[in-house]
Amino acid sequence: MHLQLPSSLKGMTKLDRDQFTQVVTVPFVNVPVECIQTAKWKNALLTLHLFKNVRDLDPTSKTHKQVLFDPDVIKSKEDVINAVPSITKYAEESFDFTPITLTYANYSIEQVIKAILPDDLGKDKPINTGSGYSLIGHIAHFNLKDAVLPYKHIIAQVVLDKLSNVKTVVNKLHEIDSVYRNFELEIIAGEPNTIVKCRESKATFQFDFAKVYWNPRLSTERERIVNILHRDDFIFDVFAGVGPFVVPAAMLGCTVYGNDINPESVKWMTVNLKANHSKKSRNEYHVFNLDGREFLRTIAFPRIESYQQEVKGDDEKKWCLSSNKIVILMNLPDIALTFLDVVSEWLSSSIDGSEQWILPVHIHCYTFSKADNREEDIRTRLKSILPNVNDNQITCRFVRQVAPNKDMMCVRIVLFDNKKNEEENPTKRFKQDSSE
């Protein structure tokens, strides 16, 4: 139902809930109780936030219910008969119109905010007018543009009113810090508490959202990676954050090495690994607080070589781990691609017997691209960084759209694979996240 809210709401900066109350007239039919569940209502029913479209006729009636219809769809008795033929008899007998009172509670967040903000906001350039937000535990996170800031407090109050699980509303103030991957935020409503708990990939995560990086819109991508891992794989996460990749990998039974330059991320990654640790999974985890290049040079590459030599020299392990792999994750899209120069150095050095290594190395590196041909753009950039890797060792795929002309992409580089390259769960299908 299209609701025309009072024009007096426009530009409101202090929430007056009473101004949302209005009386509208809608069509109805009195229907026997036994017909309610069996009738095919299609899109004819009146659908509003926190509103019952099937209600009692009166306190004494137990045989019939009053069914309310959308006045934009149903305008006459004939419309009801055409939309729901099974109640023709009851439409003939009781079709009529009745006034109903709608209050602030009956409007969604989007409807309330749209009614309050001036119509000219976002006309010249699309902006987040307040209906777009992320939920992280008990926090609703906004990224409001300057034009919307005068209305930030009323937007935050609406969210607190409508979402019972939200206790704190924050707004991003600046771009993500390229070193620690966090951003300054302000609490615009609710409790001054930024330590959150949330669940993802069957794991529980806890962290201080004001001091670390966490993007819930990447949950689909993280799930995709977790689903291609096998028990006993070796995982090296160069920019691990609070552990969205390494925690579920450890739960799966992988040996994980999580690294992050932000000490606060390392603190919470350790908390999350311990909290989700299970003796049944036999998981082994190691946590580091190093620069990404230092982690690759001093931890990842030496351990990879050690594992390869260990497996190559042990026939039982060679057989047991022949279907496993080493995975290097590099999720820092702004600059992760540039860290591959360390991989190039490693490949150029003398790696004894690497052609006989049992465990292939799969590198998943994330980047952004604005080019018309995203894959060609990424491959061109890679050639200057990784001249010792062939085109057939590289695959690119779309992850999500982050801006109208900017995509997040994942490039997979497969090294030392003497077998046919493993497909990334071709039987599984993952939705593409195109939200900003």
Side-chain angles (χ1 to χ4, degrees), residues 3 7 18 40 76 78 107 112 122 127 129-130 137 172 179 207 232 254 265 277 286 318 328 339 374 403 411 414 418:
L3 294 169
S7 58
D18 292 338
K40 306 297 182 183
S76 66
E78 288 70 27
Y107 300 98
V112 172
I127 60 174
T129 55
K172 176 181 173 183
V179 178
F207 49 87
D232 294 325
C254 300
S265 294
H277 177 74
H286 311 269
K318 184 186 300 185
I328 298 176
F339 282 72
R374 311 293 206 240
V411 55
V414 179
N418 299 315

Side-chain angles (χ1 to χ4, degrees), residues 361-394:
V361 177
H362 291 197
I363 301 173
H364 297 262
C365 186
Y366 294 86
T367 188
F368 294 129
S369 179
K370 296 181 179 180
D372 292 336
N373 188 323
R374 311 293 206 240
E375 182 168 345
E376 182 181 334
D377 168 51
I378 293 170
R379 286 180 178 273
T380 299
R381 284 187 279 155
L382 273 177
K383 284 179 182 178
S384 62
I385 303 170
L386 283 173
N388 33 17
V389 172
N390 299 323
D391 280 345
N392 60 5
Q393 294 175 275
I394 298 169

